[in-house]
Amino acid sequence: MTVSNSPMPDVGDPSHGVTSLDAFVLELRELRVASGSVSYGEIARRIAVRRREAGIPDALCVAPRTTIYDVFRLGRRRIDVNLVGDIVSVLGVPDEELPSWQERASRAMIDQLAPVDAGAAPDSEPGNGDAPSQLAASQAMRLTTQDAATPVRIPLLLAILIAVISVTINVLGHTWSHPFGTPLFLDMIGTAFAAFALGPVGGAVVGLASSLFGSIADPPQLPFALVQIAGGLAWGLGFRYWCQRGNPWQRLIVLNLVAAAVSSLIAVPIILRTMPGGTGHMAEDLAIVFSHHGAGEIEALFKANFLAQVLDKMVAGLLAFAGLRLVQQRVLRRPVQGSTD
């Protein structure tokens, strides 16, 4: 990709009449224009692809479009230095020039945190004038080295912990759904969470393990391991290859519908073959209603089960995605100071 070689504004140059970070943001804007005015959504998609190619776990590949837009906003006090590296890279800047861009961003942040006071008293005590700059440099270095938007690999122990927690959520959800008479199944929230955090294989493994452990207390649950596995694969593959290309919340809704359809297509034949008397779930009451309106047994069961699956998978997918964001911010990353100002 060809990038304009026109002179960039000098970061912190008072002649521009803007703050150091404003001047740097103007550089980023000029780079974006020179690269063909790439949309913020496309920049986010390219960053996700770049991170995935670098071996970053799926859970850390997403760079929300709003976060990308915020980097290009004037009037900032801090900036995500590592995200800057991702942005300029996908806009065509060679890898060898990335450190220069990140260094200028860091320097601009230092200048922003500790602007030079041109009217300082001349008889100020020697050495004290450097204290603000040193403090600002320390703050900027801390933001740079601990930046929340820097993708990191999920440690093995943390991955195991996520899997164990996910299985526990599934088993408890299934156990609680029947006594309370809820129309939800509540047995795949953990599967969705594992699929988003660990990928499709992780989701499938958690789903299988959930059915194996759940069948100890409820043996008829074992055949539904196929539903768990299919749901984990559907959520994981959709999240990896589709949800990150646009608004993740909007696409997640569609992905949840897909997971519901896949689950229903597998669950209904299992019910018909292994549980001719029914499972006792509230969805079967709805199947009776459909039957009274002229639907055949199989058609009525499919309709009722699909509606129940849609409701259940919407709740599961949205809760799992919210949980993933929480883990990203509180465990896998530190607070995103550089992208929220």
Side-chain angles (χ1 to χ4, degrees):
M1 184 179 297
T2 302
V3 179
S4 171
N5 292 323
S6 58
M8 297 291 186
D10 183 17
V11 176
D13 187 348
S15 65
H16 290 285
V18 292
T19 64
S20 296
L21 275 179
D22 280 344
F24 182 77
V25 168
L26 292 176
E27 288 194 53
L28 289 177
R29 290 184 174 187
E30 184 173 341
L31 175 64
R32 175 172 170 260
V33 172
S35 302
S37 296
V38 183
S39 69
Y40 300 117
E42 174 62 17
I43 292 175
R45 187 193 69 80
R46 293 180 184 181
I47 289 176
V49 171
R50 179 177 185 266
R51 291 176 175 178
R52 191 175 298 114
E53 291 176 347
I56 302 300
D58 292 341
L60 301 175
C61 290
V62 178
R65 180 172 51 186
T66 53
T67 301
I68 302 299
Y69 169 81
D70 200 49
V71 174
F72 289 85
R73 178 173 58 83
L74 294 174
R76 302 177 56 83
R77 294 190 64 251
R78 296 182 176 88
I79 198 166
D80 183 333
V81 176
N82 292 284
L83 183 56
V84 166
D86 285 332
I87 290 174
V88 298
S89 175
V90 301
L91 290 180
V93 173
D95 290 345
E96 59 269 18
E97 296 181 17
L98 299 185
S100 174
W101 280 85
Q102 292 176 310
E103 181 182 355
R104 292 206 306 278
S106 179
R107 188 171 68 248
M109 189 157 50
I110 292 173
D111 293 342
Q112 180 79 4
L113 291 171
V116 177
D117 185 1
D123 57 347
S124 58
E125 187 174 346
N128 287 347
D130 294 333
S133 296
Q134 293 172 355
L135 176 60
S138 174
Q139 293 174 335
M141 286 300 295
R142 186 165 59 252
L143 290 172
T144 301
T145 57
Q146 299 183 352
D147 201 285
T150 305
V152 295
R153 294 183 181 276
I154 298 179
L156 177 60
L157 290 179
L158 179 57
I160 295 175
L161 178 61
I162 289 175
V164 170
I165 292 175
S166 298
V167 171
T168 302
I169 291 174
N170 282 347
V171 174
L172 291 178
H174 175 76
T175 302
W176 292 339
S177 64
H178 290 286
F180 291 103
T182 172
L184 303 176
F185 299 104
L186 299 179
D187 60 350
M188 292 183 67
I189 298 174
T191 301
F193 178 64
F196 296 159
L198 306 177
V201 175
V205 170
V206 164
L208 175 60
S210 300
S211 293
L212 292 175
F213 281 105
S215 65
I216 296 176
D218 185 12
Q221 183 183 348
L222 185 58
F224 291 93
L226 295 176
V227 180
Q228 289 274 7
I229 294 172
L233 292 175
W235 265 318
L237 291 171
F239 187 78
R240 168 180 288 183
Y241 296 109
W242 190 65
C243 275
Q244 300 174 22
R245 297 187 177 183
N247 186 308
W249 287 102
Q250 293 177 358
R251 294 192 172 222
L252 180 62
I253 292 175
V254 178
L255 178 59
N256 290 337
L257 290 174
V258 172
V262 170
S263 298
S264 189
L265 287 172
I266 297 176
V268 170
I270 294 176
I271 294 173
L272 292 172
R273 184 173 181 82
T274 65
M275 299 179 177
T279 63
H281 191 269
M282 287 184 62
E284 293 171 2
D285 296 334
L286 185 58
I288 296 176
V289 174
F290 285 129
S291 296
H292 288 167
H293 285 78
E297 177 186 2
I298 297 178
E299 178 187 355
L301 185 56
F302 261 116
K303 288 181 177 179
N305 186 269
F306 177 68
L307 291 177
Q309 292 285 359
V310 168
L311 182 59
D312 180 73
K313 299 308 177 282
M314 283 295 176
V315 172
L318 292 175
L319 285 178
F321 189 64
L324 174 66
R325 290 301 191 202
L326 182 64
V327 171
Q328 285 180 315
Q329 295 171 4
R330 301 297 178 86
V331 181
L332 300 177
R333 304 176 180 180
R334 293 177 173 84
V336 189
Q337 302 181 62
S339 59
T340 56
D341 287 345

